[in-house]
Amino acid sequence: GCVLVVSVIEQLAQWHNSTVKAAMERLCDYIPGKYQIMHHVSCCIDREMNADVVCHSLRLCKQDPGQPLCHLYSPPKLHHLCELMHPSTFFFLLLQKTFMGFSSVCAFPLLTNLCEKIKYVLRSKLPFEDFDGDKFSTFPTLRGYHWRGRDCNDKNTTVYPGRRPDHWDAKSDSNCNGIWGVDPKDGIPYEEKFCKGADSKGVVLLGDSAGAHFHIPPEWMTVTQMSAKSFANLPMAFSDELDWPQFSEITGFLNSTIGGWTDSLYLRLRKRNRCNHRDLQNISQNVSFHINIAPYLSFSLARNQLLDNPAIVIYATIGNDVCNGERDTLAHMTTPKEMLSNVVQALRYLDSRLPNGSHVILTGLVDGRFLWDNLHDRYHPLGQLNKDVTYSQLYSFLDCLQVSPCSGWLTPNETLRNLTSERALQLSNVLKEIARSEKFTNFDIFYMDFPLSQTAEEWRKMGGEPWQLIEPVDGFHPSQIAAALGTGITWQKALHEWPQVLGKENPFNDQIEAIFKDQGGY
């Protein structure tokens, strides 16, 4: 974090031909609110001291005994350090106090309960603001309706997206799809007239950071594009954990503001049957280790077997089972035996919760060699101004810090990249075998490979380059373009091979939109 901030300040000063102090003030004007801590950093930056020097000299970055010195830039000349950096100086004590105060903010009695609630939200994947406890919210972020369909009555626990209509919603909208009331011409409830027998179903994603659609806007660290407008979405982004599920491949429902366009399984299901409006859940998490989804499904999944419509569940942990920041990455990857146990455990739980007639699609792991092959020699946003930081350098820096999102793929070691892909293929084969051999009472089960090669081929036909399918800042996650193209490929596969999963088209869609065009917005 320190290296990132100091790099941006240095480049702002260079780009605007200004002093470091002026660049610091410019950045503070861009960012919503005043982040006073950065003012303390500004007095330490010297034109001949790169960000690694500054952050190590401030002791915000350190070298543990026996560990390598982690640096993003070429090794600097260390003799530029000044007396200001000495740990006993007033400046250092002030800076240390500021950082410690920020990191221990939850120790304040008035904030303790708030912090505990936020921690609970992050652990449980449930909305921060949910007054009736039905796991749906009227607030967008903090696991609100960016992640699940918006609640239309947060004071009634029996009203939420995805349930079968209560008495055909003659008097009120019990499932939040915006369709309710009685047609005065014949006295038949609209929900009964338009949605009865329509094979309504929702979509649920069980995924990792790719499914949550992790994205850090490149303009946050590209000084040639930086302005106050660049940071307008910063508060929303942080309260969504730097995820953008509202634009994602499975549950996206808003027009993208982060490049590309939004296309999603949810939007296609809604277009196919307007009665599916708002029936979506994105239960994904940002983690850097293999995940066993089963333990948190019990409190995260919102589906009542007796009262709700069936669901299409996408099980897509496309990389976390082989990705970690460990020194011995191979030893910490999920084994095929562990994969089998984890997935079957989750599926058995789903069988106890999903309404009959549901469907589960298991998605194979990605072949992450695509990342190094297409990015390693390109310049990262931090390195574009001075042509001094490639993705290869970034990957090595993160790996040194042991915070790499995938040290098995983001490495110059070709043998390790190949071994990581070999394990990913083994785990995908486990999923494929589960889909072939396991049977469940309340859902049928399917398998599909992660469609990376098809996505790249489709993008090439449109005149694009493969590197544009990867997030520019982290150099790891699928980009907005990749997500949108992947949706079309997944949909076509389901349409031709598993038409029963998608349900039939509702012939009353146009009538529903005409009558309820002013109701039930996202």
Side-chain angles (χ1 to χ4, degrees):
C2 178
V3 169
L4 167 63
V5 172
V6 173
S7 297
V8 169
I9 295 169
E10 288 178 333
Q11 291 184 26
L12 274 173
Q14 177 186 344
W15 180 247
H16 293 282
N17 195 24
S18 69
T19 64
V20 168
K21 185 172 184 290
M24 187 66 255
E25 291 171 351
R26 183 185 299 272
L27 183 59
C28 285
D29 285 339
Y30 289 164
I31 297 175
K34 297 292 181 180
Y35 288 75
Q36 186 176 359
I37 189 170
M38 292 192 291
H39 286 289
H40 302 319
V41 176
S42 65
C43 67
C44 303
I45 300 176
D46 184 285
R47 286 297 177 87
E48 298 181 26
M49 294 169 59
N50 68 31
D52 294 314
V53 177
V54 172
C55 295
H56 276 280
S57 64
L58 292 176
R59 311 290 173 85
L60 297 174
C61 297
K62 61 187 176 68
Q63 181 182 10
D64 292 334
Q67 298 298 320
L69 177 69
C70 300
H71 58 88
L72 180 61
Y73 297 90
S74 298
K77 298 176 181 179
L78 297 177
H79 68 264
H80 291 293
L81 302 185
C82 58
E83 286 298 316
L84 185 63
M85 303 303 131
H86 194 275
S88 63
T89 62
F90 170 76
F91 166 77
F92 181 79
L93 293 174
L94 177 63
L95 185 72
Q96 186 180 50
K97 183 177 179 181
T98 306
F99 265 93
M100 291 300 291
F102 179 78
S103 64
S104 61
V105 67
C106 289
F108 288 99
L110 293 177
L111 296 177
T112 300
N113 289 340
L114 179 63
C115 287
E116 287 303 312
K117 187 172 181 182
I118 290 176
K119 290 177 184 177
Y120 174 75
V121 166
L122 296 178
R123 286 195 306 268
S124 65
K125 319 304 168 199
L126 292 176
F128 179 85
E129 187 177 276
D130 177 18
F131 296 110
D132 57 13
D134 59 12
K135 303 182 181 180
F136 294 90
S137 178
T138 59
F139 190 73
T141 62
L142 288 171
R143 293 281 166 166
Y145 68 75
H146 281 170
W147 300 82
R148 302 170 188 248
R150 186 165 62 181
D151 203 341
C152 52
N153 186 343
D154 208 16
K155 296 178 181 179
N156 188 335
T157 190
T158 66
V159 175
Y160 53 84
R163 69 162 294 173
R164 293 198 296 272
D166 183 22
H167 299 292
W168 294 114
D169 285 357
K171 295 183 178 180
S172 62
D173 189 3
S174 67
N175 55 17
C176 301
N177 67 1
I179 304 170
W180 64 281
V182 175
D183 189 336
K185 297 177 181 177
D186 52 24
I188 300 174
Y190 288 114
E191 183 94 39
E192 181 180 4
K193 177 176 289 190
F194 296 142
C195 301
K196 185 177 181 180
D199 199 15
S200 299
K201 58 189 68 175
V203 59
V204 179
L205 173 65
L206 309 178
D208 50 23
S209 52
H213 205 35
F214 186 85
H215 166 81
I216 299 175
E219 57 269 23
W220 287 4
M221 56 189 71
T222 309
V223 297
T224 56
Q225 303 172 14
M226 197 174 288
S227 66
K229 185 179 179 182
S230 305
F231 293 94
N233 56 11
L234 187 145
M236 180 193 73
F238 274 105
S239 57
D240 264 337
E241 305 160 48
L242 291 175
D243 295 324
W244 309 72
Q246 67 273 31
F247 307 140
S248 67
E249 180 177 352
I250 303 300
T251 63
F253 61 91
L254 292 178
N255 290 332
S256 172
T257 59
I258 57 173
W261 64 97
T262 302
D263 191 3
S264 71
L265 181 60
Y266 162 73
L267 282 177
R268 292 188 177 226
L269 284 170
R270 184 193 182 278
K271 184 177 181 181
R272 195 171 181 83
N273 179 9
R274 171 61 174 74
C275 303
N276 292 328
H277 183 58
R278 288 191 185 172
D279 195 355
L280 64 100
Q281 297 178 54
N282 190 316
I283 308 175
S284 300
Q285 60 178 349
N286 299 334
V287 289
S288 56
F289 47 86
H290 67 83
I291 42 180
N292 182 0
I293 285 178
Y296 70 82
L297 269 181
S298 60
F299 43 79
S300 301
L301 179 66
R303 214 64 178 183
N304 187 302
Q305 204 164 50
L306 300 178
L307 298 177
D308 298 347
N309 285 321
I312 303 171
V313 178
I314 312 296
Y315 189 111
T317 57
I318 66 170
N320 284 21
D321 287 283
V322 296
C323 289
N324 53 70
E326 301 290 343
R327 295 276 184 234
D328 187 0
T329 179
L330 290 171
H332 289 82
M333 293 178 186
T334 302
T335 66
K337 184 177 179 181
E338 290 171 333
M339 189 73 166
L340 176 64
S341 174
N342 290 346
V343 176
V344 170
Q345 186 182 349
L347 293 175
R348 286 173 179 163
Y349 180 78
L350 288 174
D351 202 30
S352 71
R353 288 288 300 274
L354 293 178
N356 191 263
S358 294
H359 312 276
V360 173
I361 299 174
L362 304 178
T363 303
L365 279 69
V366 68
D367 185 347
R369 288 175 292 192
F370 184 92
L371 303 168
W372 179 270
D373 291 347
N374 289 287
L375 280 185
H376 75 276
D377 56 352
R378 296 189 61 83
Y379 289 111
H380 184 268
L382 273 182
Q384 288 176 5
L385 182 64
N386 295 310
K387 306 294 186 248
D388 57 353
V389 178
T390 63
Y391 283 94
S392 177
Q393 289 171 260
L394 174 72
Y395 294 157
S396 296
F397 181 53
L398 297 178
D399 191 47
C400 179
L401 295 172
Q402 292 182 258
V403 295
S404 171
C406 196
S407 52
W409 275 323
L410 309 183
T411 172
N413 186 331
E414 183 179 7
T415 300
L416 183 54
R417 297 199 304 270
N418 290 337
L419 288 172
T420 303
S421 289
E422 183 180 319
R423 176 60 60 85
L425 180 59
Q426 291 170 358
L427 300 183
S428 294
N429 287 335
V430 170
L431 296 173
K432 191 180 298 185
E433 178 59 23
I434 290 173
R436 188 192 67 80
S437 62
E438 296 287 337
K439 304 297 179 186
F440 297 91
T441 302
N442 290 305
F443 58 83
D444 47 15
I445 186 167
F446 307 91
Y447 170 84
M448 68 172 291
D449 290 318
F450 186 81
L452 180 59
S453 57
Q454 301 98 308
T455 301
E457 183 60 31
E458 192 71 23
W459 185 231
R460 285 192 189 95
K461 291 178 182 176
M462 297 170 69
E465 298 287 338
W467 58 268
Q468 295 168 315
L469 300 176
I470 308 169
E471 275 295 315
V473 172
D474 61 60
F476 178 64
H477 293 92
S479 69
Q480 183 66 35
I481 294 170
L485 289 174
T487 297
I489 294 168
T490 301
W491 182 267
Q492 288 302 317
K493 181 176 180 64
L495 201 61
H496 290 104
E497 297 183 25
W498 322 314
Q500 72 274 30
V501 172
L502 305 179
K504 54 192 176 186
E505 291 196 50
N506 191 333
F508 301 108
N509 279 336
D510 290 342
Q511 291 170 260
I512 296 172
E513 293 293 354
I515 296 174
F516 297 98
K517 60 183 178 182
D518 296 325
Q519 297 184 42
Y522 288 113

